[in-house]
Amino acid sequence: MDRRSFFKKAAVTGAGAATATTLAAPAIAQQNPKVTWRLTSSFPKSLDTIYGGAEDIARHVSEATDGNFTIQPFAAGEIVPGLQALDAVSAGTVEMAHTCSYYFVGKDPTFAIGSAIPFGLNARLSNAWFYQGNGNKLLNEFYATHNVYSIPSGNTGAQMGGWFRKEINTVDDFKGVKMRIAGIAGRVMEKLGAVPQQIAGGDIYPALEKGTIDAAEWIGPYDDQKLGFHKVAKYYYYPAFWEGGLIIHSFMNLDKWNELPKTYQAALTDACAFANTNMMAKYDMKNPAAIKQLVAEGAILRPFSQEILEACFNAAQEVYAEISGSNEWFKKIYEDQVAFKREGYLWMQLSEYTYDTFMMIQQRNGKL
């Protein structure tokens, strides 16, 4: 090849490379567009663990997309009140919410299954049902009727049974008790004579302090200590049989979710999975110290008796039968979860329960 021919071909190749480079930038920009979302949380910033789930999601999405997809979290009340998060997402006022599905049982009791129902799943079985069972699939079919798409984005584990002004020794002691309690659990407690109240987290303390309510459940030692409930109601009961493993969800406006590039959907899904795992880890780290501090400051721990738990279990079955008789969505999803739960606890009583029981005995005997 002579030099003239070589340089001519090289020039053509160089021009082609330049053209490819010119085309590459817009193509990449189209694949990674600048997207900004607002996220409304149902929780105050003071509750850093549960509110922090939204911050975890925003940070991980930004890092995974080199800052091209940004999500700005807002605390409850900064855009809309905490109990209006679903409406804001459904209507497109915001693109996303970090909230509890069961806050919206007034619209449809099926929403409760997305968070926790009395005598439902613990945290591990919740994750198994959502990720590997039919949980995500079935619930997103239901949520789509409200123009939202959901991803599990947090778990508190089994919660405490709440703060009471008086002792609850028998089932009859619930009669007339005005109790802040969320989801279907309120209907169960109503069957025992309690008067359920739906109150956002930030409003619970003043309601207890003023005597507007007689009892309240929230989450567990770490968050409850921050909110100061032990200062206005000293009896701290356990367990919260209505929240064996509370799932916190990210709700996305369905249209906005579908508009996202697949890479952004994947980044957001992974970020929510991290928030889900990290929230549970935070509570397991912080609750032990908090429960000791609460007792030191005057909280009195009390277990719900077997009589009370049995009565509540039976009342729950009545509630589920009543709802299933008139709500096909609830019936379909509830029956799927029950079938999964039956098999899940068959396995867990051989593995987790036996091991944990032995280790707890060692802890009580001072051997750990």
Side-chain angles (χ1 to χ4, degrees):
M1 181 184 297
D2 61 31
R3 293 182 64 203
R4 182 175 300 174
S5 175
F6 172 80
F7 283 117
K8 183 176 181 181
K9 291 191 175 193
V12 171
T13 303
T19 302
T21 303
T22 303
L23 290 173
I28 291 172
Q30 290 172 4
Q31 292 172 5
N32 300 285
K34 292 285 187 181
V35 175
T36 300
W37 277 14
R38 296 192 303 169
L39 179 157
T40 184
S41 172
S42 287
F43 315 108
K45 290 181 180 178
S46 59
L47 299 178
D48 56 302
T49 301
I50 196 165
Y51 176 81
E55 295 176 321
D56 282 342
I57 292 166
R59 184 176 67 257
H60 277 251
V61 165
S62 179
E63 291 174 355
T65 62
D66 292 326
N68 288 310
F69 182 14
T70 59
I71 298 172
Q72 184 178 3
F74 292 87
E78 290 184 338
I79 298 178
V80 295
L83 300 183
Q84 294 179 20
L86 174 70
D87 290 337
V89 173
S90 180
T93 304
V94 294
E95 292 82 7
M96 185 173 174
H98 189 241
T99 186
C100 293
S101 180
Y102 67 8
Y103 288 161
F104 312 106
V105 293
K107 297 179 181 296
D108 190 309
T110 309
F111 276 102
I113 305 176
S115 291
I117 58 175
F119 305 99
L121 303 174
N122 66 15
R124 276 190 56 180
L125 289 179
S126 291
N127 281 338
W129 183 62
F130 273 96
Y131 291 133
Q132 298 298 322
N134 295 321
N136 276 329
K137 174 181 176 295
L138 292 174
L139 279 161
N140 271 319
E141 289 174 1
F142 165 71
Y143 291 140
T145 65
H146 294 267
N147 197 37
V148 298
Y149 179 79
S150 74
I151 305 175
S153 302
N155 201 307
T156 65
Q159 297 189 7
M160 292 292 283
W163 299 89
F164 292 76
R165 291 179 176 275
K166 68 173 187 176
E167 291 189 73
I168 304 294
N169 295 313
T170 68
V171 174
D172 286 342
D173 289 336
F174 280 113
K175 291 181 178 177
V177 172
K178 298 189 293 293
M179 181 177 182
R180 184 274 177 194
I181 189 165
I184 285 179
R187 291 182 60 169
V188 173
M189 300 304 288
E190 202 167 22
K191 283 185 174 290
L192 303 183
V195 183
Q197 310 286 318
Q198 182 86 314
I199 302 173
D203 299 325
I204 297 173
Y205 183 92
L208 268 175
E209 185 179 35
K210 295 173 184 176
T212 307
I213 57 176
D214 307 306
E217 59 81 32
W218 178 236
I219 295 178
Y222 180 72
D223 286 337
D224 291 4
Q225 183 185 30
K226 278 180 167 287
L227 293 175
F229 297 148
H230 60 295
K231 299 174 183 177
V232 286
K234 65 180 180 179
Y235 294 104
Y236 199 19
Y237 277 82
Y238 62 92
F241 54 82
W242 52 87
E243 287 166 319
L246 173 67
I247 290 280
I248 293 88
H249 266 95
S250 288
F251 282 158
M252 282 70 71
N253 177 276
L254 187 58
D255 296 328
K256 292 297 183 180
W257 168 259
N258 289 332
E259 289 172 6
L260 287 178
K262 294 296 182 184
T263 53
Y264 286 10
Q265 289 182 351
L268 181 50
T269 299
D270 288 348
C272 290
F274 172 81
N276 186 26
T277 303
N278 198 41
M279 186 182 294
M280 185 75 261
K282 287 179 181 178
Y283 277 121
D284 282 343
M285 186 70 184
K286 295 179 177 183
N287 278 332
I291 192 66
K292 289 191 286 187
Q293 185 63 34
L294 283 169
V295 170
E297 293 177 9
I300 301 173
L301 295 176
R302 290 285 188 271
F304 286 126
S305 68
Q306 282 299 117
E307 175 206 3
I308 289 173
L309 292 175
E310 289 285 352
C312 291
F313 182 87
N314 293 333
Q317 307 318 303
E318 293 177 12
V319 170
Y320 299 144
E322 291 166 3
I323 299 173
S324 295
S326 60
N327 188 313
E328 285 301 317
W329 273 117
F330 184 93
K331 183 175 186 293
K332 177 181 179 180
I333 301 174
Y334 172 71
E335 288 181 351
D336 185 88
Q337 189 187 86
V338 168
F340 178 87
K341 177 171 58 178
R342 187 179 301 116
E343 297 301 310
Y345 277 109
L346 175 66
W347 162 239
M348 294 200 89
Q349 66 184 297
L350 298 177
S351 57
E352 297 292 319
Y353 177 77
T354 306
Y355 177 77
D356 286 348
T357 299
F358 176 81
M359 293 303 293
M360 289 170 190
I361 291 172
Q362 308 316 304
Q363 193 272 342
R364 289 183 180 181
N365 291 337
K367 294 182 178 180
L368 296 186

